[in-house]
Amino acid sequence: MSEIKTLVLNHKQIQQKIIRIAYEIYERNAGEQALVFAGVTGMGSVLAGILAEKVREISGLDIQQVEVSLDKFTKKQPAVTVSPAVDLTDKCLVIVDDVLNSGRTLTYVMEPFVKYAVKKIEIAVLVNRSHKKFPVSADYTGYELATTLSENIEVMLDDHDSTVYLQ
């Protein structure tokens, strides 16, 4: 039996959403000196890099990027790591992931950052499934998509052929 995949967003639509999110991030943080984008392992890290570059293009902000590594499929995280190490004191942090499902992953991702004196933490996602089980919500969302719990979202970000599929 083959798995049916439905195209949700094509490359052009994804690029438009990324540009819109980048402008929203800049508008809300225009008075800041610096922003740090923290991408969640996998497509979240790729999306963080794309967003960081877009915000860098449209603003004069000092932009830094880090990757947050964890196992998204383990309910109890042994360790969440951030690399490279950056000074987060009094900086605005934008945590980026490709899909927000229940909020569990983003709850774990916030753990290493709450011990620093960050100015604020915001969350950006490309797709929000709205199956909220944890008190986490996105400040920036590319696309809201109502799904069943048994369905999956597959995000592929590439320079020439980015896609979002529902399966």
Side-chain angles (χ1 to χ4, degrees), residues 21-95:
I21 292 170
Y23 273 98
E24 287 179 19
I25 290 170
Y26 176 52
E27 287 171 3
R28 289 191 198 171
N29 294 286
E32 300 301 328
Q33 298 298 313
L35 280 177
V36 177
F37 285 82
V40 178
T41 300
M43 286 297 120
S45 185
V46 174
L47 180 59
I50 296 168
L51 282 171
E53 186 56 37
K54 294 290 182 196
V55 173
R56 190 177 286 116
E57 288 173 11
I58 61 176
S59 75
L61 299 176
D62 175 31
I63 306 291
Q64 294 177 295
Q65 183 185 349
V66 297
E67 181 173 22
V68 183
S69 299
L70 75 160
D71 182 353
K72 290 183 176 187
F73 304 104
T74 301
K75 290 194 177 190
K76 185 174 181 186
Q77 289 296 319
V80 178
T81 61
V82 178
S83 64
V86 297
D87 179 17
L88 296 170
T89 305
D90 207 32
K91 291 185 182 170
C92 297
L93 176 70
V94 181
I95 296 173

Side-chain angles (χ1 to χ4, degrees), residues 2-39:
S2 66
E3 228 176 88
I4 298 172
K5 291 168 68 171
T6 304
L7 182 66
V8 176
L9 296 171
N10 64 32
H11 183 75
K12 183 178 179 182
Q13 292 168 319
I14 291 169
Q15 295 308 308
Q16 290 170 334
K17 293 185 181 316
I18 288 171
I19 290 168
R20 180 179 48 80
I21 292 170
Y23 273 98
E24 287 179 19
I25 290 170
Y26 176 52
E27 287 171 3
R28 289 191 198 171
N29 294 286
E32 300 301 328
Q33 298 298 313
L35 280 177
V36 177
F37 285 82

Side-chain angles (χ1 to χ4, degrees), residues 1 9 14 41-42 69 72 105 120 126 129 151 157 166:
M1 185 167 126
L9 296 171
I14 291 169
T41 300
S69 299
K72 290 183 176 187
T105 297
K120 68 178 173 180
L126 184 59
R129 293 182 63 188
E151 293 173 313
L157 298 172
L166 173 67

